[in-house]
Amino acid sequence: LGLPPDAVSVSVRDGMVTLAGRVADGADIGSAVWATWQVDGVVGVVNALGLGNGFGAVDAVGAAEAKGPAGTV
């Protein structure tokens, strides 16, 4: 995705992955969620990614849970 290493934090518990952080391009959110679903053992993805650098930025979707690999954000 070409993001800085600290742009997105990832936590995993029992196959449930939470993505959190800020990205500059909204397309990166969908790409990150899709890529996460491609990892063996993932049973769910919680998307807590937002747009911008954190200063007056608008959240793209808040903490919406994707429903599967075909799910969109």
Side-chain angles (χ1 to χ4, degrees):
L1 299 173
L3 299 171
D6 61 346
V8 175
S9 67
V10 179
S11 61
V12 182
R13 182 174 182 136
D14 298 325
M16 188 65 133
V17 179
T18 299
L19 303 174
R22 299 259 178 219
V23 297
D25 183 347
D28 288 339
I29 295 173
S31 296
V33 170
W34 181 85
T36 302
W37 275 109
Q38 304 313 301
V39 178
D40 286 341
V42 170
V43 298
V45 178
V46 175
N47 175 16
L49 295 171
L51 290 176
N53 60 10
F55 300 102
V58 176
D59 283 337
V61 289
E65 182 177 338
K67 297 299 181 191
T72 58
V73 292

